[in-house]
């Protein structure tokens, strides 16, 4: 009786296939969204991939796979990215969500193409990573937000970042999901199979074993590797670092209309920390980190701004990494982090290399201004160059400014250049009281594990944080409250396997996807050729 009921339920979707698949596509997208911060429900991601795989996999038309994948993508990205439209209206938010959903649609198409190959959970999981790679690269330099890895900072898969970076974490989540889908399909097949001979021919034991391995191997590997992560307190030597969160007068796109007030806030909070140090209430830092846009008044051109920063650095007795907007001779600007060392003034600097389209600059400006009155509020920033490392009192610090941390390549040059400590200075005031800051914090936690380095997040309005090399958040500030986080952090020179191999894992997954698609294409061509030959033979046998 139970078997009959379960079998009847399994047959339900065949009665209204489009409706059932549409509903399950939306459910899959919502599950993926639910796995992202500030919610700690990381385990929803593999479940979402399982539901999505069951939805798009099949023998029907490829465009149906794309359509269901696109629908899942909308259900994922629309609730994930509303912060992109807080101050500019819903059009940019919905347009960006739709563009991102196209890549989930492509995943659905490829899944329908390769989903019948032997070992299909592996090929489908690699297809997910390939879709993430394409989305992180094209157009306009890509948009990596919403990669599966960035929802796993609290999960079992985190330690895998030290082996293969964010791509391996995404692959692990996807493979767990496709493995779960394979198990469910085998269960359904067993329930629906009436003939014992058919069950024997299907060899269910082998199928279940293969699916179970795909389901369990990555979570087990992640848990096993967790104990191998570096001790967050161990390093070549230890320094004291302070992160200053000065906060802003008001949120929104025009927060920098009070640029002097923002600079004053960060100077004031640094001087307050200096007084606490003099009173013996805090430890004197070896280096102080201010956030992105802490000085939107160019201190290389404005003597008042330079004097204020010099005063703060001299009083705290340490160099300050100042997030500043610098005006170039051609009136373009750079988003820079400058090492400012007391009376000695400015030293080395990092000019942001991966700048944000539609924010820091506007591609195809004359075209996009037709769609939004906010288009001309985009900046005229230009990308910088260099290896991403600044030196402050002999400390090599790798810098990824705000948006850069979403990209795998942001810290790669810095690590090759010998970064001993990582920092993400960021300004989240332009995104209001949204989930954006928590999503970005999770990315920083992934990067800390990926490269085996302590990492400091300094934000204008929050959340600022001190992150250990094992991804744990050791200190965290509230939003919209001036704060100074002070911590002893280890410096390291040894590198993780992920740092050594760089982008190689992602390239392997892309190559796997391309190879699987090529095999399917060759098979289809061979099948068509065989059918054509059969027809010719049959026609030749008919008497003339």
């Amino acid at each position: 009786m139970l078997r009959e009921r379960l079998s009847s339920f399994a047959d339900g979707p065949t009665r209204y296939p489009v409706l059932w698949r549409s509903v399950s596509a939306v459910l899959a997208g919502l599950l993926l969204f639910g796995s992202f911060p500030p919610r700690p429900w990381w385990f929803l991601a593999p479940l979402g991939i399982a539901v999505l795989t069951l939805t798009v996999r099949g023998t029907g038309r490829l465009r149906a796979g794309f359509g269901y994948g696109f629908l899942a993508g909308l259900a994922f990205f629309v609730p994930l990215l509303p912060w992109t439209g807080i101050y500019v209206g819903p059009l940019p938010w919905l347009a960006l969500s739709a563009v991102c959903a196209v890549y989930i649609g492509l995943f659905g198409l490829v899944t329908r193409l390769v989903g019948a190959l032997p070992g299909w959970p592996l090929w489908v999981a690699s297809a997910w990573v390939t879709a993430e790679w394409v989305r992180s690269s094209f157009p306009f330099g890509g948009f990596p937000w919403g990669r599966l890895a960035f929802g796993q900072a609290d999960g079992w898969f985190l330690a895998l970042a030290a082996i293969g970076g964010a791509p391996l974490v995404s692959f692990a989540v996807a493979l767990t999901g496709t493995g779960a889908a394979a198990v469910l399909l085998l269960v359904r097949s067993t329930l629906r199979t009436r003939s014992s001979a058919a069950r024997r021919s299907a060899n269910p034991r082998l199928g279940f074993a293969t699916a179970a391995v795909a389901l369990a191997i990555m979570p087990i590997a992640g848990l096993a590797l967790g104990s191998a992560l570096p001790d967050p307190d161990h390093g070549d030597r230890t320094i004291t670092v302070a992160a200053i969160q000065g906060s802003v007068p008001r949120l929104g796109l025009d927060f920098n209309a009070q640029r002097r007030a923002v600079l004053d806030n960060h100077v004031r909070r640094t001087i307050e920390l200096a007084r606490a140090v003099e009173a013996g209430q805090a430890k004197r830092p070896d280096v102080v980190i201010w956030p992105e846009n802490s000085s939107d008044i160019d201190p290389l051109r404005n003597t008042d701004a330079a004097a204020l920063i010099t005063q703060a650095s001299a009083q705290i007795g340490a160099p300050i990494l100042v997030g500043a907007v610098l005006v170039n001779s051609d009136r373009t600007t750079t988003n820079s982090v400058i090492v400012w060392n007391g009376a000695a003034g400015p030293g080395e600097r990092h000019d942001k290399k991966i700048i944000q389209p539609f924010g820091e600059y506007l591609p195809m400006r004359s075209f996009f201004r037709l769609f939004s009155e906010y288009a001309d509020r985009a900046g005229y920033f230009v990308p910088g160059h260099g290896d991403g490392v600044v030196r402050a009192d002999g400390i090599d610090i790798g810098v990824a400014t705000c948006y850069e941390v979403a990209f795998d390549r942001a810290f790669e040059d810095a690590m090759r250049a010998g970064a001993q400590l990582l920092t993400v200075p960021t300004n989240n005031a332009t995104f209001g009281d949204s989930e954006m800051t928590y999503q970005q914090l999770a990315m920083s936690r992934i990067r800390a594990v990926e490269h085996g380095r302590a990492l400091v997040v300094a934000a204008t309005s929050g959340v600022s944080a001190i992150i250990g090399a094992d991804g744990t958040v050791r200190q965290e500030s509230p939003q919209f409250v001036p704060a100074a986080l002070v911590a002893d952090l280890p410096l390291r020179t040894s590198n993780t396997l992920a740092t050594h191999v760089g982008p190689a894992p992602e390239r392997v997954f892309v190559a796997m996807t391309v190879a699987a698609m090529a095999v399917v294409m060759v098979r289809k061509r061979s099948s068509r050729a065989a059918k054509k030959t059969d027809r010719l033979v049959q026609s030749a046998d008919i008497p003339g």
Side-chain angles (χ1 to χ4, degrees):
M1 181 67 70
L2 177 61
R3 175 177 293 181
E4 290 176 358
R5 289 181 178 178
L6 289 173
S7 181
S8 176
F9 177 79
D11 289 337
T14 62
R15 298 180 183 177
Y16 308 100
V18 175
L19 175 62
W20 275 86
R21 286 183 184 268
S22 297
V23 170
S24 62
V26 172
L27 174 61
L30 292 176
L31 287 169
L32 293 175
F33 162 69
S35 70
F36 277 76
R39 292 158 297 280
W41 306 330
W42 57 271
F43 50 85
L44 294 181
L47 183 57
I49 293 295
V51 174
L52 179 58
T53 301
L54 293 171
T55 302
V56 299
R57 185 176 176 269
T59 57
R61 295 180 177 179
L62 295 179
R63 67 187 183 191
F66 175 86
Y68 293 125
F70 180 76
L71 187 59
L74 289 178
F76 175 28
F77 286 107
V78 169
L80 186 75
L81 303 176
W83 48 269
T84 60
I86 287 179
Y87 299 112
V88 295
L91 182 59
W93 157 42
L94 296 176
L96 177 61
S97 299
V99 170
C100 291
V102 167
Y103 297 93
I104 310 298
L106 293 174
F107 163 76
L109 185 152
V110 175
T111 296
R112 185 152 286 197
L113 186 66
V114 304
L117 288 175
W120 64 264
L122 185 67
W123 315 122
V124 173
S126 68
W128 180 275
V129 180
T130 299
E132 288 193 339
W133 169 73
V134 177
R135 180 164 61 84
S136 301
S137 308
F138 177 84
F140 310 123
F143 185 72
W145 223 274
R147 293 167 69 183
L148 287 182
F150 297 152
Q152 299 300 309
D154 291 309
W156 293 350
F157 303 97
L158 175 63
L160 295 170
I163 305 299
L168 181 59
V169 177
S170 286
F171 176 78
V173 176
L175 182 61
T176 304
T178 58
V183 169
L184 291 173
L185 288 172
L186 285 167
V187 169
R188 188 181 71 169
S189 176
T190 300
L191 291 173
R192 297 176 65 178
T193 300
R194 304 291 185 179
S195 166
S196 60
R199 286 199 297 269
R200 285 195 298 271
S201 66
N203 198 357
R205 291 184 179 179
L206 178 59
F208 272 118
T210 303
V213 168
L215 172 62
I217 188 170
M218 285 302 179
I220 292 173
L223 286 171
L225 287 169
S227 60
L229 291 178
D231 184 338
D233 297 318
H234 177 74
D236 301 323
R237 66 185 179 99
T238 300
I239 63 167
T240 303
V241 180
I244 301 296
Q245 177 176 300
S247 200
V248 297
R250 61 176 179 265
L251 301 176
L253 296 180
D254 64 343
F255 87 97
N256 58 359
Q258 296 190 20
R259 289 177 284 187
R260 177 57 187 267
V262 175
L263 175 58
D264 286 344
N265 285 352
H266 287 85
V267 170
R268 183 182 305 111
R269 191 65 191 88
T270 304
I271 291 176
E272 289 174 358
L273 176 61
R275 290 171 182 162
V277 170
E278 293 298 328
Q281 300 170 346
K283 192 171 181 180
R284 185 178 301 279
D286 296 293
V287 63
V288 176
I289 300 176
W290 283 5
E292 176 190 34
N293 298 123
S294 50
S295 179
D296 273 2
I297 304 172
D298 185 347
L300 302 184
R301 292 173 175 264
N302 186 288
T303 56
D304 288 343
L308 285 170
I309 298 169
T310 297
Q311 176 191 2
S313 178
Q315 205 152 336
I316 194 66
I320 300 175
L321 271 62
V322 179
V325 173
L326 305 182
V327 180
N328 302 315
S329 58
D330 60 357
R331 309 308 297 172
T332 60
T333 50
T334 56
N335 190 343
S336 302
V337 172
I338 309 172
V339 178
W340 203 284
N341 200 347
E348 294 188 9
R349 81 187 208 204
H350 164 73
D351 295 339
K352 189 175 182 180
K353 296 189 290 184
I354 307 174
I355 56 176
Q356 181 185 356
F358 305 98
E360 292 175 308
Y361 80 102
L362 184 65
M364 303 167 60
R365 188 177 293 265
S366 59
F367 172 76
F368 284 109
R369 64 159 51 107
L370 299 175
F371 299 93
S372 175
E373 62 183 9
Y374 291 98
D376 283 326
R377 300 189 70 171
Y380 290 84
F381 285 82
V382 293
H385 306 282
D387 55 21
V389 170
V390 296
R391 174 164 292 214
D393 275 2
I395 306 165
D396 292 327
I397 304 174
V399 182
T401 303
C402 194
Y403 181 64
E404 287 185 305
V405 73
F407 293 83
D408 294 342
R409 64 183 184 273
F411 279 129
E412 286 177 357
D413 289 342
M415 291 303 301
R416 282 193 289 267
Q420 303 164 294
L421 177 75
L422 302 179
T423 186
V424 179
T426 182
N427 169 34
N428 299 331
T430 51
F431 302 109
D433 184 10
S434 71
E435 296 182 354
M436 179 270 182
T437 189
Y438 300 101
Q439 295 169 6
Q440 189 182 59
L441 178 62
M443 297 179 194
S444 297
R445 295 175 63 186
I446 297 293
R447 299 306 180 199
V449 175
E450 181 178 5
H451 298 296
R453 295 290 188 271
L455 189 148
V456 179
V457 178
T460 49
S461 55
V463 172
S464 299
I466 305 294
I467 302 171
D470 60 352
T472 56
V473 179
R474 301 177 58 180
Q475 294 184 44
E476 181 178 339
S477 70
Q479 282 187 290
F480 319 123
V481 176
L485 306 181
V486 182
D488 291 333
L489 296 177
L491 302 180
R492 289 191 176 88
T493 54
S494 59
N495 290 329
T496 64
L497 180 60
T499 301
H500 283 297
V501 300
E506 191 168 50
R507 293 172 181 171
V508 169
F509 296 135
V510 173
M512 288 169 59
T513 305
V514 172
M517 293 172 64
V519 168
V520 172
M521 296 298 186
V522 170
R523 284 186 172 186
K524 286 188 174 184
R525 181 176 296 179
S526 299
S527 177
R528 286 195 296 266
K531 289 179 180 178
K532 184 177 180 180
T533 300
D534 289 342
R535 287 195 298 268
L536 292 173
V537 169
Q538 291 172 5
S539 63
D541 290 338
I542 299 174

